[in-house]
Amino acid sequence: MNERDRNSGHVEAFRNLFCNSPKMTEDNSNSNDHPAERDEDMSPYRKPAASVISFKLIYSKDDLQSRKVIHFRPEMSHQVFGEDETIFGYRTLSITINYLHNSSRCFVDVLKEGILKSTPMPQLDDIMKCLEPWLPEKFTTEKEEFLKMIENERHDNMYGALLSEFKDKQECKVFPNQKVFADYKICICDMKNEEFKEFHKRFETYIVWFIDAANFIDLDDERWMLYYVYEEFQHPETKATYRTPVGYCSVYKFFAYPNNIRTRISQFFILPSHQRRGIGSSSTRPWLGI
């Protein structure tokens, strides 16, 4: 074999080793999906939390199915579902957090379909595990249990001593177009009342969805003061009195040298369903001395 034939043999061997395996190279490159393509494939399973979560104020059993019930969506959810505020793993998802209008006892109704079962992507979000730290104590996910709560609900309960009141100029949302106008009552609450403290723990769970970096106050700290706003109206047919807590203000008493106390507003929250009705400006006057 001459030198030329020997070199030709080396070239052919080189081709057989490295160049005649195009499928192997292609398969290797395709064995790992491109991140952008993979993320696009998963996009139907990523839901913005604010678009799939809704809150309802429940006055009666019929409200669970009614589309006319007072409802609203959260403004934020990063403390519950992370900085991207999305829920992953469900093609169809609906989360309804139902609050009894007076006691704020809670029923969580989660409807989900098209659950992603196998994927190399991050695991599915455990919805209830994410929600539970931010829900009222003794919440339920059972409709029948919540129906019993509705039966036992006191519609006219109100905590605290009345400071002032004013009449709403807009019609009550619970009974639209029926000329029902509510009164708003501002009360200062007794921080030693254990029943009130349990109620406040339930109601304050709203704030994580509407106040950035919200946290729950220490109700055993005597320096806290709580003011509540109640909506009061009469049922147009039964004439029964209904009272609904629609917001609160927490005020902290600081020591001011040499021997004084200075108060400072910490949190001020009005339910989205009752905003833009003049409640905030009218409610601050009693505790600001205006």
Side-chain angles (χ1 to χ4, degrees):
M1 180 182 295
N2 57 33
E3 188 67 23
R4 183 174 180 178
D5 292 337
R6 188 181 298 112
N7 290 339
S8 297
H10 290 165
V11 171
E12 187 65 25
F14 180 86
R15 287 176 177 171
N16 289 335
L17 181 61
F18 293 102
C19 301
N20 290 346
S21 304
K23 291 184 179 180
M24 181 180 294
T25 304
E26 183 178 342
D27 289 343
N28 286 339
S29 64
N30 289 339
S31 62
N32 295 321
D33 295 337
H34 295 292
E37 293 178 359
R38 186 168 64 245
D39 192 62
E40 184 177 348
D41 291 341
M42 295 296 104
S43 60
Y45 296 92
R46 297 186 188 279
K47 305 297 182 187
S51 69
V52 297
I53 297 174
S54 64
F55 298 88
K56 287 185 177 181
L57 283 183
I58 303 299
Y59 291 79
S60 68
K61 296 178 181 180
D62 295 338
D63 291 338
L64 288 175
Q65 305 299 329
S66 174
R67 294 185 177 182
K68 296 181 180 180
V69 67
I70 293 177
H71 65 279
F72 45 88
R73 294 194 180 278
E75 293 182 6
M76 59 191 70
S77 60
H78 58 276
Q79 288 186 251
V80 183
F81 291 107
E83 289 300 322
D84 61 353
E85 299 187 315
T86 61
I87 304 173
F88 175 71
Y90 311 90
R91 182 174 286 274
T92 302
L93 180 63
S94 172
I95 303 171
T96 305
I97 305 177
N98 303 274
Y99 280 82
L100 286 180
H101 81 98
N102 185 280
S103 66
S104 292
R105 299 188 187 280
C106 181
F107 163 50
V108 182
D109 190 14
V110 179
L111 302 177
K112 51 193 177 184
E113 295 180 356
I115 302 174
L116 201 59
K117 294 184 178 180
S118 60
T119 172
M121 297 290 286
Q123 293 184 349
L124 312 185
D125 286 324
D126 186 332
I127 295 172
M128 292 310 304
K129 184 177 180 180
C130 293
L131 286 174
E132 188 168 357
W134 309 102
L135 292 172
E137 291 183 4
K138 299 180 181 179
F139 73 90
T140 183
T141 57
E142 300 296 329
K143 184 177 179 180
E144 291 302 318
E145 183 178 355
F146 190 63
L147 289 173
K148 293 179 181 178
M149 293 181 186
I150 296 175
E151 290 179 0
N152 297 324
E153 177 80 341
R154 284 184 57 187
H155 297 293
D156 61 349
N157 192 39
M158 184 172 72
Y159 293 102
L162 182 65
L163 293 178
S164 67
E165 58 185 304
F166 62 96
K167 184 171 287 292
D168 194 354
K169 296 180 181 179
Q170 302 179 45
E171 282 192 282
C172 179
K173 284 190 173 183
V174 183
F175 297 103
N177 304 317
Q178 297 191 46
K179 296 183 179 181
V180 176
F181 294 88
D183 293 319
Y184 289 105
K185 299 179 179 293
I186 297 93
C187 302
I188 181 169
C189 299
D190 181 2
M191 298 300 291
K192 295 181 180 180
N193 184 327
E194 293 299 324
E195 186 177 312
F196 163 71
K197 289 163 71 172
E198 290 303 314
F199 156 74
H200 178 71
K201 288 178 183 178
R202 295 191 294 270
F203 189 87
E204 72 174 347
T205 55
Y206 278 116
I207 66 174
V208 69
W209 307 96
F210 300 98
I211 299 178
D212 193 19
N215 56 74
F216 304 148
I217 67 173
D218 179 5
L219 293 174
D220 293 324
D221 186 340
E222 295 181 353
R223 289 170 291 184
W224 282 110
M225 302 167 64
L226 282 170
Y227 298 84
Y228 261 83
V229 183
Y230 280 85
E231 177 190 58
E232 179 183 285
F233 61 85
Q234 282 192 333
H235 193 289
E237 297 176 3
T238 66
K239 304 304 179 184
T241 298
Y242 281 71
R243 296 190 179 109
T244 302
V246 297
Y248 75 92
C249 178
S250 60
V251 177
Y252 197 74
K253 295 180 287 187
F254 288 91
F255 170 76
Y257 182 85
N259 193 26
N260 297 311
I261 297 295
R262 180 175 298 169
T263 57
R264 183 181 301 169
I265 292 177
S266 173
Q267 298 167 332
F268 191 98
F269 172 68
I270 301 294
L271 291 177
S273 55
H274 289 74
Q275 293 176 7
R276 299 177 181 85
R277 303 175 82 89
I279 298 175
S281 59
S282 299
S283 300
T284 54
R285 293 171 184 170
W287 56 77
L288 293 179
I290 299 175

